[in-house]
Amino acid sequence: MAEKRYFRQQNPFRVPTTDGKLIEEHIGLASTQTGQYSVAHMVAPPQWSEPHQNPQFDEVTIVVRGRKRFEVDGDTIELGAGESLLIKAGARVRYSNPFDAECEYWSICVPAFSPDTVHREE
């Protein structure tokens, strides 16, 4: 029998976090050992933020509900539901949800997200 050319994800990898953010990787290094790209569903709680980073991968964010703030190379961008943003590899970026409601979004990274290539600042 030939190898199937599809994969149905029924149990995404839930990334352990300490900041209240939900991260479910559907495709990527942690969930399927896929290095070419990663796809993750996320929910950022109100008043959430993370340190600046300088990733070695492109990242597309698609906001499903709520709002999300991006600081990219000194520019501030706020997205709402139905909007998307591509941040190219090498940009200095900071993600946050300084608002009073959760922000639900999807993230696609090319190549796949890796803690070794995200380069978070202390």
Side-chain angles (χ1 to χ4, degrees):
M1 183 170 183
E3 179 183 345
K4 293 183 181 185
R5 293 199 273 176
Y6 66 88
F7 172 76
R8 180 179 177 180
Q9 179 59 277
Q10 294 180 295
N11 188 25
F13 177 75
R14 190 166 185 164
V15 178
T17 64
T18 59
D19 59 4
K21 182 179 175 187
L22 170 69
I23 305 172
E24 296 173 319
E25 185 185 88
H26 283 255
I27 307 294
L29 290 170
S31 58
T32 60
Q33 292 72 56
T34 302
Q36 296 90 337
Y37 55 89
S38 58
V39 178
H41 171 249
M42 302 188 202
V43 179
Q47 309 307 315
W48 166 86
S49 69
E50 62 185 21
H52 282 89
Q53 52 191 281
N54 189 323
Q56 293 177 287
F57 46 81
D58 289 352
E59 184 166 2
V60 175
T61 300
I62 304 167
V63 176
V64 176
R65 67 180 166 87
R67 294 187 294 164
K68 186 175 178 186
R69 181 176 291 164
F70 305 78
E71 297 168 36
V72 185
D73 291 336
D75 293 337
T76 300
I77 304 148
E78 291 181 3
L79 294 187
E83 295 183 301
S84 60
L85 182 67
L86 164 64
I87 299 174
K88 295 185 178 182
R92 183 174 187 257
V93 60
R94 181 173 182 256
Y95 301 103
S96 65
N97 176 15
F99 309 107
D100 292 331
E102 287 183 335
C103 178
E104 179 180 7
Y105 59 99
W106 286 85
S107 174
I108 299 102
C109 298
V110 178
F113 174 90
S114 168
D116 296 332
T117 60
V118 71
H119 305 296
R120 286 199 176 95
E121 296 177 10
E122 295 299 320

